[in-house]
């Protein structure tokens, strides 16, 4: 199997996250070791409160671990300062949110172009790129729409386009279809899978839905802050 | 991030909340306008004071008199009279050409102007007057302040004959010889045309009065000789305008000296010092020397040096200093009143920015996750605050010009009546440096007020921000 030879792009070692709530200590992550390969589509599944979001946020550098190491593309992000993390995210990471998190004052093109703005890309170039991305996710007719003028599925497509526009190595998605009905969810999942495969991105997705997790190459099962099972889906959709 | 993108983001954020932005800007407008107007009033008052001082003899002129003069506390330096063995006789330091050299040699002295004053009688037709004539080197006359020519010319260097230049109020010194009626009694300006009518001058006034009013013992004194002196010009200004030089008659110094020596021969010239035995000195001493200092800051210094020479010296320096101090105090007080309102405006800005952060917490979180630099977030907020300051400052300046114009308009209407020609002075004056400084200051205040909100926005944790619903 060729996939095994690929080098890991994300690795964690003995990752802990402990929240102290007064006397109580909550082990949101309880010693997570995982390794995600380049170009892979992984999903992290678990029940509510099992620590999925905590793990994803940590991988994306949005939260600091209590203990342990996170190595992404060779650099230890747990040691980075906030400024370095912002730069790291800007250069390597795309993010898809459950609640879309589009800026309500901007239209689709502007929303998608936003990450490029932070990179200092010229307006014409970033708008052109944003339009390309929107076409890719099938929104050629909604370029000028504000988020409130679109359906949830369309908004999340804008979210996907926004995550892709910077050409990041890794895309993190926290319950990207959590606010969508099952039919639309499947559509968005298909889209995400197609796009990351075409563009050779690494996609890490969090979900509590076993069916949606099944779109991935590998599935990490997490219970109470621990990875309990890794499911390989090498033969996905090859039937 | 590109500067222009930052700016357009900031502006569009402000534009989204038009009413609130407008109210915040309004606060800055009022704050800026009150500071600018208050300071402009301070400056305007200071300027009219300076103008007034200038009219009354300048800011950098020291009037120097001989040591025995009662003007200005000169130090009496004992100089024993030549030939006199007794040490009790002291001779005051006087102003002659030698002393002129000494004075012009002092540091920071720009020019020295010797003045020889004599009183004389003037007769023209039925009018008569007691004139104060001041002899000043013709080449220096042209450089003097408050010497605007209304008619004719100033006495020219190289003139062969003594010519008089009349101050604009001199005409009011003439009275009708028979009735002793002056202009201030009759209100009628004497009908003398200095340029056309012949003017007869009597220098030896003692002899004239002796001939007019014979003493008891019956000795009859012959009337002294009258000299016809031509006028070369008259000062600009009407009879009610009192400039520093308005009441004098000016002429060339050397020609005046020659004239006096011719008139009095070996007799003592009135107003000139004499020896203990009442004999005149060989040379003619100046009554006054005006020393012009190159900078107001050295006034005191030079004045002290001159007094140390044994001369008397007086200037406006001390008076100006105290005037300036009180006008500075006034400016500070006025500026302070304005500053309070700008301070209130600054609180308004800080409040607006703080509200804006609460409203935009989620948005800030999103752009942070998307990779917006912390510095960019801070700049964005600072720019918003600075932009409020800029717009407020600019409009505030425009408003200030309006208010300033109104104040001056109203004031000139009232003062014009009270002060006659002097009422032209502006109460409120906005110097050219004021608009850029005021706008810059408003921007600065805005940014300072926005600084802590901006820091807060910068430090927001992206996760907490995103969770915020
Ligand atoms: N900021 C926090 N302070 C205290 N405890 C927290 C905090 N964030 C998460 N936790 C706790 O950590 C555990 C894991 O939370 P996490 O958000 O990762 O769950 P999840 O798997 O994403 O659940 P869901 O599917 O409902 O989103 C939970 O028990 C939660 O109560
Ligand atoms: Mg979650």
């Amino acid at each position: 199997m060729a996939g095994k030879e690929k080098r890991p792009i994300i690795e964690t070692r003995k990752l802990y996250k402990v929240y102290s709530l007064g006397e109580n200590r909550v082990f949101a992550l309880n010693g997570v070791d995982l390794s995600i390969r380049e170009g892979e589509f992984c999903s992290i599944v678990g029940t509510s409160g099992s620590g999925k979001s905590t793990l994803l946020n940590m991988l994306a550098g949005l939260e600091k671990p209590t203990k342990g190491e996170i190595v992404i593309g060779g650099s230890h992000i747990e040691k980075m300062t906030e400024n370095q993390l912002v730069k790291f995210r800007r250069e390597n990471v795309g993010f898809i949110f459950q609640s879309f998190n589009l800026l309500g004052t901007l239209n689709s093109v502007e929303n998608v172009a936003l990450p490029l703005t932070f990179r200092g890309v010229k307006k014409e170039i970033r708008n052109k790129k944003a339009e390309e991305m929107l076409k890719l996710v099938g929104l050629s007719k909604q370029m000028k729409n504000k988020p409130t003028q679109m359906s949830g599925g369309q908004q999340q497509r804008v979210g996907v386009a926004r995550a892709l526009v910077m050409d990041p190595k890794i895309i993190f998605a926290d319950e990207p279809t959590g606010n969508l009905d099952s039919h639309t969810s499947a559509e968005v999942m298909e889209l995400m899978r197609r796009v990351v495969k075409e563009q050779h991105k690494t996609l890490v997705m969090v979900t509590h839905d076993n069916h949606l997790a099944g779109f991935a190459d590998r599935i990490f099962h997490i219970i109470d802050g621990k990875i309990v099972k890794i499911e390989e889906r090498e033969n996905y959709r090859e039937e | 991030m590109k500067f222009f993108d930052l700016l357009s983001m900031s502006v569009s954020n402000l534009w989204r909340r038009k009413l609130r932005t407008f109210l915040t800007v309004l606060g800055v407008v009022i704050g800026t306008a009150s500071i600018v107007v208050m300071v402009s009033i301070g400056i305007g008052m200071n300027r009219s004071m300076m103008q007034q001082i200038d009219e009354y003899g300048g800011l950098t002129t020291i009037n120097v008199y001989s040591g025995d003069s009662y003007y200005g506390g000169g130090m009496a330096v004992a100089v024993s009279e030549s030939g006199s063995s007794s040490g009790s006789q002291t001779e005051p330091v006087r102003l002659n050409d030698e002393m002129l050299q000494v004075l012009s040699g002092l540091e920071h002295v720009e020019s020295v102007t010797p003045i020889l004053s004599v009183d004389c009688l003037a007769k023209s037709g039925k009018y008569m007057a007691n004139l104060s004539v001041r002899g000043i080197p013709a080449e220096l006359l042209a450089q003097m302040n408050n010497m605007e020519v209304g008619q004719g010319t100033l006495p020219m260097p190289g003139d062969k004959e003594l010519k008089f230049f009349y101050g604009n109020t001199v005409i009011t010194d003439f009275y009708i010889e028979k009735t002793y009626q002056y202009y201030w009694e009759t209100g009628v300006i004497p009908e003398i045309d200095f340029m056309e009518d012949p003017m007869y001058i009597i220098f030896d006034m003692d002899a004239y009065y002796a001939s007019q009013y014979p003493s008891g013992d019956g000795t009859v004194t012959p009337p002294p000789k009258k000299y016809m002196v031509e006028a070369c010009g008259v000062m600009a200004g009407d009879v009610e305008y009192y400039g520093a030089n308005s009441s004098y008659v000016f002429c060339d110094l050397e020609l005046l000296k020659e004239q006096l020596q011719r008139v009095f021969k070996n007799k003592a010239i009135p107003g000139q010092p004499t020896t203990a035995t009442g004999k005149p000195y060989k040379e003619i001493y100046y009554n006054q020397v005006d020393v012009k200092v190159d900078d107001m800051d050295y006034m005191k210094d030079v004045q002290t040096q001159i007094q140390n020479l044994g001369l008397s010296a007086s200037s406006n320096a001390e008076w100006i200093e105290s005037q300036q101090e009180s006008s500075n105090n006034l400016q500070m007080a006025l500026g302070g009143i304005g500053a309070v309102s700008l301070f209130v405006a600054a609180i308004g800005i800080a409040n607006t920015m703080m509200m804006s952060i609460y409203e935009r917490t989620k948005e800030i979180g999103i752009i942070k996750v998307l990779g917006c630099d912390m510095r960019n977030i801070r700049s964005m907020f600072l720019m918003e605050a600075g932009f409020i300051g800029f717009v407020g400052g600019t409009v505030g300046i425009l408003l200030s010009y309006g208010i300033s114009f109104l104040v001056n308009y109203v004031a000139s209407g009232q003062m014009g009546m009270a002060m006659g020609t002097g009422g032209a002075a502006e109460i409120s004056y906005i110097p050219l440096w004021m608009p850029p400084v005021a706008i810059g200051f408003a921007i600065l205040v805005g940014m300072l007020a926005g600084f802590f909100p901006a820091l807060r926005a910068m430090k927001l944790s992206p996760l907490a921000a995103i969770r915020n619903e």
Side-chain angles (χ1 to χ4, degrees), chain A residues 57 62-63 82-83 86 89-90 95 97 101 103 105 114-115 117-118 120-122 126 162 166, chain B residues 1-2 5 9 16 362-363 366-374 376 460 462-463 466-467 469:
Chain A
N57 291 338
L62 295 175
E63 233 177 331
E82 175 116 30
N83 269 321
V86 171
R89 279 201 295 272
R90 189 165 60 226
F95 220 97
F97 303 90
N101 281 341
L103 297 198
T105 50
L114 199 58
T117 313
F118 303 142
V121 178
K122 267 203 223 138
R126 64 179 192 241
R162 184 175 66 183
M166 297 187 288
Chain B
M1 223 175 145
K2 287 226 169 1
D5 287 329
M9 256 181 156
R16 257 153 73 189
K362 183 159 183 177
E363 188 182 315
I366 295 169
I367 63 177
K368 263 188 141 172
V369 173
L370 295 180
C372 181
D373 240 12
M374 312 219 324
N376 283 338
L460 270 180
L463 258 194
I466 291 176
R467 288 216 190 94
E469 290 295 332

Short mmCIF file of all heavy atoms in Angstrom, two decimals, chain A residues 57 62-63 82-83 86 89-90 95 97 101 103 105 114-115 117-118 120-122 126 162 166, chain B residues 1-2 5 9 16 362-363 366-374 376 460 462-463 466-467 469:
data_model
loop_
_atom_site.label_atom_id
_atom_site.label_comp_id
_atom_site.label_asym_id
_atom_site.label_seq_id
_atom_site.Cartn_x
_atom_site.Cartn_y
_atom_site.Cartn_z
N ASN A 57 -8.46 22.02 17.61
CA ASN A 57 -8.00 23.39 17.90
C ASN A 57 -6.51 23.40 18.23
O ASN A 57 -5.79 24.33 17.87
CB ASN A 57 -8.78 23.98 19.06
CG ASN A 57 -10.22 24.25 18.68
OD1 ASN A 57 -10.53 24.40 17.50
ND2 ASN A 57 -11.09 24.29 19.67
N LEU A 62 -4.77 26.89 17.74
CA LEU A 62 -5.67 27.88 18.34
C LEU A 62 -5.64 27.79 19.85
O LEU A 62 -6.10 28.69 20.54
CB LEU A 62 -7.11 27.64 17.85
CG LEU A 62 -7.33 27.86 16.35
CD1 LEU A 62 -8.76 27.48 15.97
CD2 LEU A 62 -7.06 29.31 15.97
N GLU A 63 -5.13 26.70 20.36
CA GLU A 63 -5.08 26.49 21.80
C GLU A 63 -3.76 25.82 22.13
O GLU A 63 -3.23 25.06 21.31
CB GLU A 63 -6.24 25.58 22.22
CG GLU A 63 -7.10 26.16 23.31
CD GLU A 63 -8.27 25.24 23.62
OE1 GLU A 63 -8.74 24.52 22.72
OE2 GLU A 63 -8.73 25.25 24.76
N GLU A 82 2.22 33.54 20.00
CA GLU A 82 0.95 33.83 19.33
C GLU A 82 1.18 34.42 17.94
O GLU A 82 0.51 34.06 16.98
CB GLU A 82 0.14 34.78 20.19
CG GLU A 82 -1.14 35.24 19.53
CD GLU A 82 -2.38 34.78 20.28
OE1 GLU A 82 -2.31 34.63 21.51
OE2 GLU A 82 -3.41 34.58 19.63
N ASN A 83 2.18 35.29 17.86
CA ASN A 83 2.49 35.90 16.56
C ASN A 83 2.93 34.87 15.54
O ASN A 83 2.52 34.90 14.38
CB ASN A 83 3.60 36.94 16.73
CG ASN A 83 3.04 38.31 17.01
OD1 ASN A 83 2.02 38.68 16.43
ND2 ASN A 83 3.68 39.05 17.89
N VAL A 86 0.00 32.84 14.31
CA VAL A 86 -0.82 33.51 13.31
C VAL A 86 -0.16 33.36 11.94
O VAL A 86 -0.82 33.04 10.94
CB VAL A 86 -0.99 35.01 13.66
CG1 VAL A 86 -1.65 35.73 12.50
CG2 VAL A 86 -1.83 35.17 14.91
N ARG A 89 -0.53 29.79 10.72
CA ARG A 89 -1.88 29.54 10.20
C ARG A 89 -2.06 30.17 8.83
O ARG A 89 -2.62 29.59 7.93
CB ARG A 89 -2.93 30.12 11.16
CG ARG A 89 -3.24 29.25 12.34
CD ARG A 89 -4.58 29.62 12.94
NE ARG A 89 -4.62 30.95 13.49
CZ ARG A 89 -4.27 31.23 14.74
NH1 ARG A 89 -3.85 30.28 15.55
NH2 ARG A 89 -4.33 32.46 15.18
N ARG A 90 -1.54 31.41 8.74
CA ARG A 90 -1.72 32.13 7.49
C ARG A 90 -1.05 31.39 6.33
O ARG A 90 -1.53 31.39 5.22
CB ARG A 90 -1.12 33.53 7.64
CG ARG A 90 -1.44 34.45 6.49
CD ARG A 90 -1.15 35.89 6.83
NE ARG A 90 0.25 36.09 7.17
CZ ARG A 90 0.65 36.78 8.22
NH1 ARG A 90 -0.21 37.35 9.02
NH2 ARG A 90 1.93 36.92 8.48
N PHE A 95 -9.19 26.76 7.47
CA PHE A 95 -10.11 26.37 8.53
C PHE A 95 -11.54 26.45 8.04
O PHE A 95 -11.95 27.44 7.44
CB PHE A 95 -9.91 27.31 9.73
CG PHE A 95 -9.97 26.60 11.04
CD1 PHE A 95 -8.81 26.20 11.69
CD2 PHE A 95 -11.20 26.34 11.63
CE1 PHE A 95 -8.87 25.55 12.91
CE2 PHE A 95 -11.26 25.68 12.85
CZ PHE A 95 -10.09 25.28 13.49
N PHE A 97 -15.44 26.13 9.50
CA PHE A 97 -16.13 26.13 10.79
C PHE A 97 -17.50 25.48 10.66
O PHE A 97 -18.10 25.45 9.59
CB PHE A 97 -16.35 27.58 11.28
CG PHE A 97 -15.10 28.38 11.40
CD1 PHE A 97 -14.62 29.13 10.33
CD2 PHE A 97 -14.39 28.43 12.60
CE1 PHE A 97 -13.48 29.89 10.44
CE2 PHE A 97 -13.25 29.20 12.71
CZ PHE A 97 -12.80 29.93 11.64
N ASN A 101 -19.10 30.95 9.88
CA ASN A 101 -18.29 32.11 10.26
C ASN A 101 -17.84 32.96 9.08
O ASN A 101 -16.68 33.31 8.95
CB ASN A 101 -17.06 31.67 11.07
CG ASN A 101 -17.43 31.39 12.51
OD1 ASN A 101 -18.47 31.83 12.99
ND2 ASN A 101 -16.59 30.66 13.20
N LEU A 103 -18.08 36.63 7.20
CA LEU A 103 -18.33 37.99 7.66
C LEU A 103 -19.59 38.52 6.96
O LEU A 103 -19.65 38.56 5.73
CB LEU A 103 -17.15 38.91 7.36
CG LEU A 103 -15.83 38.56 8.06
CD1 LEU A 103 -14.88 39.75 8.03
CD2 LEU A 103 -16.05 38.11 9.49
N THR A 105 -20.84 41.33 6.47
CA THR A 105 -20.83 42.56 5.68
C THR A 105 -20.20 42.35 4.32
O THR A 105 -20.27 43.24 3.47
CB THR A 105 -20.02 43.65 6.41
OG1 THR A 105 -18.77 43.07 6.78
CG2 THR A 105 -20.75 44.13 7.64
N LEU A 114 -10.67 37.19 1.69
CA LEU A 114 -10.18 37.76 2.96
C LEU A 114 -8.82 37.22 3.41
O LEU A 114 -7.92 38.01 3.73
CB LEU A 114 -11.25 37.55 4.04
CG LEU A 114 -11.15 38.44 5.27
CD1 LEU A 114 -11.23 39.91 4.89
CD2 LEU A 114 -12.25 38.09 6.26
N PRO A 115 -8.62 35.90 3.43
CA PRO A 115 -7.30 35.42 3.88
C PRO A 115 -6.17 35.94 3.00
O PRO A 115 -5.05 36.14 3.48
CB PRO A 115 -7.42 33.89 3.75
CG PRO A 115 -8.88 33.61 3.78
CD PRO A 115 -9.54 34.79 3.13
N THR A 117 -6.16 38.86 1.61
CA THR A 117 -5.94 40.24 2.04
C THR A 117 -4.88 40.28 3.15
O THR A 117 -3.99 41.13 3.14
CB THR A 117 -7.24 40.84 2.58
OG1 THR A 117 -8.30 40.54 1.69
CG2 THR A 117 -7.14 42.34 2.75
N PHE A 118 -5.00 39.33 4.08
CA PHE A 118 -4.05 39.32 5.20
C PHE A 118 -2.65 38.97 4.73
O PHE A 118 -1.67 39.23 5.42
CB PHE A 118 -4.50 38.31 6.26
CG PHE A 118 -5.87 38.59 6.79
CD1 PHE A 118 -6.75 37.56 7.09
CD2 PHE A 118 -6.29 39.91 6.98
CE1 PHE A 118 -8.02 37.83 7.56
CE2 PHE A 118 -7.56 40.17 7.45
CZ PHE A 118 -8.43 39.13 7.73
N GLY A 120 -1.49 40.26 2.02
CA GLY A 120 -1.02 41.41 1.25
C GLY A 120 -1.11 41.19 -0.25
O GLY A 120 -0.32 41.74 -1.01
N VAL A 121 -2.07 40.37 -0.69
CA VAL A 121 -2.24 40.15 -2.13
C VAL A 121 -3.07 41.29 -2.72
O VAL A 121 -4.00 41.78 -2.08
CB VAL A 121 -2.95 38.80 -2.38
CG1 VAL A 121 -3.18 38.58 -3.86
CG2 VAL A 121 -2.13 37.66 -1.79
N LYS A 122 -2.72 41.69 -3.92
CA LYS A 122 -3.43 42.80 -4.57
C LYS A 122 -4.88 42.45 -4.84
O LYS A 122 -5.23 41.30 -5.08
CB LYS A 122 -2.76 43.12 -5.92
CG LYS A 122 -1.73 44.20 -5.81
CD LYS A 122 -1.55 44.84 -7.20
CE LYS A 122 -0.11 45.07 -7.54
NZ LYS A 122 0.25 44.73 -8.90
N ARG A 126 -6.48 38.82 -5.87
CA ARG A 126 -7.18 38.01 -4.89
C ARG A 126 -8.64 37.79 -5.28
O ARG A 126 -9.20 36.73 -5.03
CB ARG A 126 -7.04 38.60 -3.48
CG ARG A 126 -7.66 39.94 -3.26
CD ARG A 126 -7.46 40.38 -1.81
NE ARG A 126 -8.31 41.52 -1.54
CZ ARG A 126 -7.87 42.73 -1.17
NH1 ARG A 126 -6.59 42.93 -1.00
NH2 ARG A 126 -8.71 43.70 -0.95
N ARG A 162 -13.06 29.49 0.96
CA ARG A 162 -12.19 30.38 1.73
C ARG A 162 -11.01 29.60 2.33
O ARG A 162 -9.90 30.11 2.40
CB ARG A 162 -13.00 31.05 2.85
CG ARG A 162 -12.20 32.06 3.64
CD ARG A 162 -13.05 32.78 4.65
NE ARG A 162 -13.52 31.86 5.69
CZ ARG A 162 -14.34 32.22 6.69
NH1 ARG A 162 -14.75 33.46 6.78
NH2 ARG A 162 -14.73 31.35 7.56
N MET A 166 -6.09 30.05 0.01
CA MET A 166 -4.70 30.38 0.34
C MET A 166 -3.75 29.28 -0.08
O MET A 166 -2.56 29.39 0.15
CB MET A 166 -4.55 30.55 1.84
CG MET A 166 -5.33 31.67 2.42
SD MET A 166 -4.89 31.84 4.14
CE MET A 166 -5.65 30.42 4.82
N MET B 1 -0.31 42.79 5.31
CA MET B 1 -1.53 43.39 4.77
C MET B 1 -1.22 44.76 4.16
O MET B 1 -0.41 45.51 4.70
CB MET B 1 -2.51 43.58 5.93
CG MET B 1 -3.91 43.19 5.56
SD MET B 1 -4.97 43.28 6.99
CE MET B 1 -6.47 43.83 6.22
N LYS B 2 -1.86 45.07 3.08
CA LYS B 2 -1.60 46.34 2.42
C LYS B 2 -2.23 47.48 3.21
O LYS B 2 -3.32 47.33 3.77
CB LYS B 2 -2.20 46.31 1.01
CG LYS B 2 -1.42 45.44 0.05
CD LYS B 2 -1.23 46.18 -1.25
CE LYS B 2 -0.25 45.52 -2.18
NZ LYS B 2 0.36 44.28 -1.77
N ASP B 5 -5.72 48.34 2.12
CA ASP B 5 -6.74 47.38 2.55
C ASP B 5 -7.12 47.63 4.00
O ASP B 5 -8.29 47.59 4.36
CB ASP B 5 -6.21 45.96 2.38
CG ASP B 5 -6.15 45.56 0.92
OD1 ASP B 5 -6.99 46.06 0.16
OD2 ASP B 5 -5.27 44.78 0.55
N MET B 9 -10.78 48.81 5.19
CA MET B 9 -11.50 47.99 6.18
C MET B 9 -11.94 48.85 7.36
O MET B 9 -13.08 48.76 7.82
CB MET B 9 -10.59 46.89 6.69
CG MET B 9 -10.90 45.54 6.11
SD MET B 9 -9.77 44.35 6.83
CE MET B 9 -10.71 42.87 6.65
N ARG B 16 -20.25 51.35 8.64
CA ARG B 16 -21.33 50.45 9.03
C ARG B 16 -22.13 51.00 10.19
O ARG B 16 -23.29 50.68 10.37
CB ARG B 16 -20.72 49.12 9.46
CG ARG B 16 -20.83 48.04 8.45
CD ARG B 16 -19.70 47.07 8.63
NE ARG B 16 -19.86 46.24 9.81
CZ ARG B 16 -18.90 45.42 10.25
NH1 ARG B 16 -17.75 45.38 9.64
NH2 ARG B 16 -19.11 44.68 11.31
N LYS B 362 -16.54 38.34 17.59
CA LYS B 362 -16.55 37.13 16.78
C LYS B 362 -15.77 37.36 15.48
O LYS B 362 -14.96 36.54 15.06
CB LYS B 362 -17.99 36.76 16.47
CG LYS B 362 -18.07 35.48 15.69
CD LYS B 362 -19.43 34.84 15.82
CE LYS B 362 -19.42 33.53 15.06
NZ LYS B 362 -20.69 32.83 15.20
N GLU B 363 -16.04 38.51 14.89
CA GLU B 363 -15.38 38.85 13.64
C GLU B 363 -13.86 38.88 13.82
O GLU B 363 -13.11 38.39 12.98
CB GLU B 363 -15.90 40.23 13.22
CG GLU B 363 -15.47 40.68 11.86
CD GLU B 363 -16.01 42.06 11.60
OE1 GLU B 363 -17.21 42.30 11.89
OE2 GLU B 363 -15.23 42.91 11.14
N ILE B 366 -12.59 35.43 13.95
CA ILE B 366 -12.54 34.78 12.64
C ILE B 366 -11.30 35.23 11.86
O ILE B 366 -10.55 34.41 11.34
CB ILE B 366 -13.80 35.10 11.82
CG1 ILE B 366 -15.03 34.50 12.50
CG2 ILE B 366 -13.68 34.57 10.41
CD1 ILE B 366 -16.34 34.98 11.94
N ILE B 367 -11.09 36.54 11.81
CA ILE B 367 -9.96 36.99 11.00
C ILE B 367 -8.64 36.56 11.63
O ILE B 367 -7.66 36.35 10.93
CB ILE B 367 -9.98 38.51 10.71
CG1 ILE B 367 -9.87 39.32 11.96
CG2 ILE B 367 -11.23 38.90 9.94
CD1 ILE B 367 -9.82 40.81 11.68
N LYS B 368 -8.64 36.38 12.93
CA LYS B 368 -7.41 35.87 13.56
C LYS B 368 -7.15 34.43 13.15
O LYS B 368 -6.02 34.05 12.87
CB LYS B 368 -7.54 35.96 15.08
CG LYS B 368 -6.87 37.20 15.64
CD LYS B 368 -6.84 37.17 17.14
CE LYS B 368 -5.55 37.71 17.66
NZ LYS B 368 -5.54 37.87 19.10
N VAL B 369 -8.23 33.63 13.13
CA VAL B 369 -8.05 32.25 12.72
C VAL B 369 -7.63 32.19 11.26
O VAL B 369 -6.82 31.36 10.86
CB VAL B 369 -9.37 31.46 12.93
CG1 VAL B 369 -9.24 30.07 12.34
CG2 VAL B 369 -9.69 31.38 14.40
N LEU B 370 -8.14 33.12 10.48
CA LEU B 370 -7.80 33.13 9.05
C LEU B 370 -6.40 33.69 8.80
O LEU B 370 -5.97 33.78 7.66
CB LEU B 370 -8.82 33.96 8.27
CG LEU B 370 -10.24 33.38 8.24
CD1 LEU B 370 -11.15 34.28 7.43
CD2 LEU B 370 -10.24 31.97 7.67
N GLY B 371 -5.71 34.09 9.86
CA GLY B 371 -4.32 34.47 9.68
C GLY B 371 -4.05 35.95 9.61
O GLY B 371 -3.03 36.38 9.08
N CYS B 372 -4.97 36.75 10.16
CA CYS B 372 -4.70 38.19 10.19
C CYS B 372 -3.71 38.48 11.30
O CYS B 372 -3.92 38.07 12.44
CB CYS B 372 -6.00 38.96 10.42
SG CYS B 372 -5.76 40.72 10.43
N ASP B 373 -2.65 39.18 10.97
CA ASP B 373 -1.61 39.50 11.93
C ASP B 373 -2.18 40.27 13.11
O ASP B 373 -3.06 41.09 12.96
CB ASP B 373 -0.55 40.39 11.25
CG ASP B 373 0.79 39.72 11.28
OD1 ASP B 373 0.84 38.53 11.63
OD2 ASP B 373 1.78 40.39 10.97
N MET B 374 -1.62 40.00 14.29
CA MET B 374 -2.07 40.75 15.47
C MET B 374 -1.81 42.23 15.28
O MET B 374 -2.62 43.07 15.65
CB MET B 374 -1.30 40.27 16.71
CG MET B 374 -1.30 38.77 16.80
SD MET B 374 -1.48 38.06 18.40
CE MET B 374 -0.65 39.06 19.51
N ASN B 376 -1.81 43.83 12.54
CA ASN B 376 -2.80 44.38 11.61
C ASN B 376 -4.11 44.68 12.32
O ASN B 376 -4.76 45.68 12.03
CB ASN B 376 -3.06 43.40 10.48
CG ASN B 376 -1.95 43.42 9.45
OD1 ASN B 376 -1.23 44.41 9.36
ND2 ASN B 376 -1.80 42.35 8.71
N LEU B 460 -7.32 39.39 22.04
CA LEU B 460 -8.45 38.46 22.13
C LEU B 460 -8.02 37.07 21.69
O LEU B 460 -7.39 36.91 20.66
CB LEU B 460 -9.57 38.94 21.20
CG LEU B 460 -10.61 39.88 21.76
CD1 LEU B 460 -11.60 40.20 20.66
CD2 LEU B 460 -11.31 39.27 22.94
N PRO B 462 -8.51 33.82 19.86
CA PRO B 462 -9.37 33.54 18.70
C PRO B 462 -10.48 32.55 19.03
O PRO B 462 -11.60 32.69 18.57
CB PRO B 462 -8.40 32.97 17.67
CG PRO B 462 -7.15 32.65 18.40
CD PRO B 462 -7.10 33.51 19.60
N LEU B 463 -10.15 31.56 19.87
CA LEU B 463 -11.16 30.54 20.18
C LEU B 463 -12.33 31.13 20.94
O LEU B 463 -13.49 30.96 20.58
CB LEU B 463 -10.53 29.46 21.06
CG LEU B 463 -10.16 28.18 20.38
CD1 LEU B 463 -9.87 27.14 21.43
CD2 LEU B 463 -11.27 27.72 19.46
N ILE B 466 -14.43 33.17 18.75
CA ILE B 466 -15.31 32.46 17.82
C ILE B 466 -16.52 31.90 18.56
O ILE B 466 -17.64 31.91 18.07
CB ILE B 466 -14.55 31.32 17.12
CG1 ILE B 466 -13.53 31.93 16.17
CG2 ILE B 466 -15.49 30.43 16.35
CD1 ILE B 466 -12.68 30.90 15.51
N ARG B 467 -16.29 31.41 19.78
CA ARG B 467 -17.40 30.83 20.54
C ARG B 467 -18.43 31.89 20.88
O ARG B 467 -19.60 31.59 21.05
CB ARG B 467 -16.85 30.23 21.85
CG ARG B 467 -16.06 28.98 21.59
CD ARG B 467 -16.27 27.96 22.70
NE ARG B 467 -15.34 26.86 22.56
CZ ARG B 467 -14.17 26.81 23.19
NH1 ARG B 467 -13.82 27.78 24.02
NH2 ARG B 467 -13.36 25.80 23.01
N GLU B 469 -21.18 34.18 20.84
CA GLU B 469 -22.31 34.27 19.89
C GLU B 469 -23.05 35.57 20.10
O GLU B 469 -23.43 35.88 21.19
CB GLU B 469 -23.26 33.09 20.08
CG GLU B 469 -22.66 31.75 19.61
CD GLU B 469 -22.40 31.69 18.10
OE1 GLU B 469 -23.10 32.36 17.35
OE2 GLU B 469 -21.46 30.96 17.71
#
